Amino acid sequence: MTITDLASIEALERQNPNPFEHLTSTYQMIADGAAFNPNNTALSFIISADAYANPATWTYTEWLQDITRAANCFRRLGIGRRDVIAYILPNLPETHLCIWGGETAGIVFAVNSLLEGDSIRQLLENAKTQWIVTLAPTPNPEIWNRVEEALSLWSNASTKPKGVVAVDPMRHLPGNAQGSARHERTAGLPETIAGLPVLDFHQELTKDSGDALAFEQPQAQDIASYFCTGGTTGLPKIAQHTHRNETANVLQLAAMAPKLMQPGKTLFTCLPLFHVNAQIGTGLAVFASGAHSLLAPPAGYRTPGLMENFWAICAHHKVASFSGVPTAFAGLLQASTQGHDLSSLMYAICGAAPMPVELLNKFEATTGMKVLEGYGLTESTAVASLCPGDGQQRVGSIGIRLPWEQLKTAILDDNGAYVRDAETDEIGVIILKGPNKFAGYLDDAQNKGAWVAIPSDSDSWLNTGDLGRIDADGYIWLTGRKKELIIRGGHNIDPKVIEEGLAAHPAVAMSAAVGRPDKHAGEVPVAYVQVSEGAAVCAEELLTDLTARLSERAAIPKEVIIIDALPLTAVGKTFKPALVMREIEYVVRNEATQLGIDLNAVVVEQDNKLGIVAHITLPSDQHQKLEKALALYTFKMVLHSA
């Protein structure tokens, strides 16, 4: 059945109320996808942007064998159903093998390879990690050094992992043996790291059979994976996904874009595989449908030369779809599409951050693709809503809910308790439930506030923390974030990391970090500081001190602003919306100044339907010029004539 609107979703649910029962594990889902045509290409990997015509490839037969071999290998190394394998890797075929083989044997923990050593150590300890899979020290030791630092800082020697399994990316250079074909240990690979044994990933794979699993498959309610959530900077919470979560979300996605998820279609993965978007949307969903996954070089969109070669890659491999964040789409517009046959392209999927309307329209006009905007979070497994591929697009909306999921907006009190459902177009907190609702945080204390109880409903709803409204046709419109995350180019930044760093300075009494709208990154962090009485300090000194304390460059504020007093609520909490409004006004006035426009007034206020809106008064003959400049931002505005 083709999904075009909310009514067709409801019809599909009546026709097939429970399509998930036959699925027990992600392994089974991949095996079912391989059965469509075992000789089809499952995965192609491009080692560098200029080598796109000669990728390393795996047929479905070879791919399923290597996943099976990886699962048997992890079980031989002692990984049981509740044991944890952490991977700290860039995008490689081995990353996929670790994920899907690891989920089959035990639990796989995705760790951001950009984190500093001590942050990695804390996450690994909290997850009780048994084995670590990471990049060998050659040719670039950056990730290896972070892992070594993490292991050296381990707080309890008795709980250290059993060892480290190293992946050599150089085997994918043209002419080298691929897959499980090489038996020798990687040259120069150390025997130990921080006192722990170091194994060679591919050498270990050769010791196990890829013909069949040597143990029973996991069941639907078994935990499959751990993901970091609540920010990719600082120390995030660890969310748990079951096999049912991941397999169900894949079926939900396939129902929304059935023309895409099928054999013969190629989906291009450029987003990092430590994030659910790439792992589920362009990983498991592709393999489950027997389609072809084209994996970009290890650094994804950050790969030198990838943007320049992007359209050539799409034409050569007949790419049907790819996912990205707004900054990636803006970068792709700088690369010419001339001379490339892009007729295979169907949909581009944008998530992680709102996409400016002007950018979306320009991208569609330039490429001929339809951009599907969606919404998701780790706690909804990956995706919670999406513009239907065959339905109406409403620019600025995050689409409609997925099949077999309940999603609505609700009015909650100050303690997060349910008061009532929000009316049509009334702003409320987005809550949801369904088979894609995650299994909770690893630390049970963090589950407080994650769920919403509704009288007469025995099942709990997930409190997303996001504000939105739902129109009469079921389209969802984000209007704000209660969770206060700052999203810089798709990179989630927890403001607490910045605020805690500032609090370490003796001159800081209070601080608040918020996002400043940015035409390139969506938003960038800025910090407001209230200085202690009698203290003398300048903004530059505070920024320098903070920069030395932060382990993530993305979290370093664009500016530190000293303010007489932070705005407070009636109960004495920092009222961040007032600072967000101030930043929007700053951006509006700055753009006007650069254009030589004299504004009569700028009033930024909270609208009951639209959220925060900038009302700008200026001469009518200047409207078009300012509107064009501000169209690259995601905040809402209304222009008034002076």
Side-chain angles (χ1 to χ4, degrees):
M1 179 181 290
T2 301
I3 299 296
T4 58
D5 54 17
L6 187 58
S8 57
I9 285 179
E10 293 169 345
L12 175 62
E13 291 168 336
R14 289 191 296 271
Q15 178 181 314
N16 190 357
N18 187 1
F20 311 113
E21 283 304 309
H22 72 288
L23 291 170
T24 57
S25 69
T26 55
Y27 179 85
Q28 180 199 340
M29 187 169 240
I30 295 171
D32 289 347
F36 284 117
N37 190 332
N39 295 319
N40 278 1
T41 301
L43 180 81
S44 297
F45 172 60
I46 304 168
I47 187 65
S48 63
D50 57 358
Y52 63 84
N54 297 294
T57 61
W58 285 256
T59 66
Y60 265 99
T61 295
E62 294 167 336
W63 190 234
L64 183 60
Q65 284 178 339
D66 272 356
I67 290 172
T68 303
R69 191 174 282 110
N72 288 334
C73 171
F74 287 131
R75 184 53 63 96
R76 174 174 53 81
L77 292 176
I79 292 295
R81 182 63 53 217
R82 295 291 302 173
D83 294 323
V84 177
I85 309 148
Y87 68 90
I88 308 166
L89 290 166
N91 285 9
L92 291 166
E94 291 84 357
T95 311
H96 271 305
L97 294 179
C98 179
I99 294 166
W100 310 119
E103 284 193 3
T104 306
I107 300 170
V108 174
F109 184 22
V111 178
N112 183 351
S113 60
L114 300 177
L115 290 175
E116 296 300 324
D118 193 45
S119 297
I120 291 174
R121 187 269 307 169
Q122 292 179 65
L123 290 171
L124 296 178
E125 284 199 54
N126 291 349
K128 298 181 173 59
T129 303
Q130 293 289 303
W131 281 92
I132 299 168
V133 184
T134 193
L135 206 61
T138 8
N140 187 339
E142 188 174 356
I143 294 176
W144 179 269
N145 290 342
R146 289 182 184 138
V147 172
E148 186 170 31
E149 180 186 3
L151 293 171
S152 299
L153 294 171
W154 209 269
S155 60
N156 185 346
S158 65
T159 65
K160 265 192 175 183
K162 295 178 180 178
V164 170
V165 183
V167 173
D168 173 19
M170 304 304 288
R171 67 168 48 249
H172 299 296
L173 290 173
N176 286 353
Q178 299 171 11
S180 56
R182 195 179 72 183
H183 292 255
E184 72 276 10
R185 183 179 176 87
T186 297
L189 184 64
E191 294 292 334
T192 62
I193 179 173
L196 298 180
V198 174
L199 307 180
D200 182 289
F201 184 79
H202 285 282
Q203 190 178 54
E204 291 302 312
L205 288 185
T206 64
K207 300 176 182 178
D208 296 278
S209 170
D211 294 336
L213 290 177
F215 54 92
E216 290 187 0
Q217 286 191 42
Q219 297 301 303
Q221 298 309 317
D222 286 329
I223 299 298
S225 58
Y226 291 164
F227 280 95
C228 295
T229 186
T232 49
T233 61
L235 192 66
K237 301 173 184 176
I238 298 174
Q240 304 176 96
H241 288 173
T242 65
H243 283 268
R244 172 54 47 80
N245 289 154
E246 296 188 352
T247 55
N249 207 213
V250 163
L251 287 186
Q252 291 169 314
L253 276 172
M256 294 296 283
K259 294 177 183 176
L260 193 61
M261 298 299 178
Q262 58 179 266
K265 298 299 183 184
T266 297
L267 284 80
F268 194 14
T269 301
C270 300
L271 293 174
L273 283 170
F274 64 74
H275 193 275
V276 290
N277 186 307
Q279 189 176 129
I280 302 297
T282 55
L284 183 60
V286 177
F287 303 137
S289 61
H292 172 213
S293 176
L294 178 64
L295 186 60
Y301 281 114
R302 294 190 177 105
T303 302
L306 183 70
M307 289 297 193
E308 293 85 345
N309 285 292
F310 193 88
W311 302 120
I313 294 171
C314 288
H316 181 84
H317 290 281
K318 301 189 184 310
V319 170
S321 180
F322 58 88
S323 297
V325 297
T327 49
F329 286 96
L332 290 174
L333 281 176
Q334 307 306 310
S336 174
T337 60
Q338 295 299 312
H340 301 299
D341 179 5
L342 302 180
S343 58
S344 62
L345 292 173
M346 297 172 63
Y347 310 122
I349 299 174
C350 181
M355 191 166 181
V357 174
E358 182 71 16
L359 175 59
L360 186 148
N361 290 336
K362 188 175 181 181
F363 188 86
E364 289 191 337
T366 301
T367 65
M369 298 185 77
K370 184 176 182 178
V371 177
L372 305 183
E373 291 193 89
Y375 164 75
L377 56 164
T378 307
E379 292 87 344
S380 70
T381 301
V383 183
S385 70
L386 188 66
C387 176
D390 294 303
Q392 182 188 36
Q393 184 180 25
R394 298 188 180 180
V395 178
S397 167
I398 54 172
I400 56 180
R401 71 167 177 86
L402 302 181
W404 308 291
E405 171 195 72
Q406 294 183 55
L407 183 151
K408 60 184 178 181
T409 49
I411 306 303
L412 308 181
D413 65 20
D414 290 341
N415 295 316
Y418 175 84
V419 177
R420 60 176 175 84
D421 285 1
E423 302 289 341
T424 299
D425 276 329
E426 181 184 14
I427 293 175
V429 178
I430 297 173
I431 62 174
L432 62 87
K433 69 174 184 175
N436 56 317
K437 183 187 75 176
F438 84 135
Y441 298 112
L442 184 61
D443 181 352
D444 189 57
Q446 295 173 335
N447 288 310
K448 183 180 180 181
W451 315 118
V452 175
I454 297 179
S456 75
D457 192 336
S458 60
D459 195 7
S460 62
W461 293 65
L462 171 66
N463 180 351
T464 70
D466 290 315
L467 300 174
R469 61 182 177 88
I470 302 177
D471 66 24
D473 297 317
Y475 279 80
I476 308 157
W477 306 77
L478 288 179
T479 59
R481 287 195 306 278
K482 272 196 169 182
K483 292 184 294 187
E484 298 181 350
L485 289 180
I486 301 164
I487 304 179
R488 183 177 192 169
H491 195 103
N492 292 346
I493 300 168
D494 187 345
K496 290 181 181 178
V497 174
I498 300 171
E499 292 158 2
E500 289 171 358
L502 286 165
H505 194 287
V508 174
M510 296 174 64
S511 67
V514 298
R516 170 181 291 173
D518 185 86
K519 67 178 70 175
H520 303 295
E523 56 185 0
V524 293
V526 294
Y528 285 83
V529 171
Q530 181 177 324
V531 176
S532 301
E533 187 174 352
V537 67
C538 65
E540 290 75 14
E541 179 184 333
L542 293 176
L543 182 57
T544 299
D545 183 76
L546 176 63
T547 300
R549 297 178 189 277
L550 294 177
S551 61
E552 282 273 353
R553 292 193 59 80
I556 297 172
K558 194 75 172 178
E559 184 179 3
V560 171
I561 303 159
I562 294 177
I563 192 171
D564 290 338
L566 292 176
L568 302 175
T569 65
V571 295
K573 294 182 179 179
T574 303
F575 186 59
K576 288 190 176 182
L579 299 176
V580 173
M581 294 178 192
R582 175 173 167 156
E583 284 302 314
I584 291 174
E585 180 177 351
Y586 165 83
V587 167
V588 170
R589 292 190 179 280
N590 185 58
E591 287 287 353
T593 298
Q594 292 187 38
L595 294 170
I597 297 174
D598 291 325
L599 300 178
N600 294 73
V602 180
V603 177
V604 185
E605 61 185 15
Q606 184 76 40
D607 183 275
N608 289 334
K609 182 176 179 180
L610 300 176
I612 296 177
V613 180
H615 291 270
I616 309 164
T617 305
L618 72 164
S620 57
D621 62 350
Q622 300 293 311
H623 279 209
Q624 187 175 3
K625 187 190 297 186
L626 183 62
E627 188 173 27
K628 183 178 180 181
L630 295 180
L632 295 173
Y633 296 92
T634 58
F635 59 80
K636 299 173 181 67
M637 62 179 172
V638 178
L639 301 184
H640 306 273
S641 296

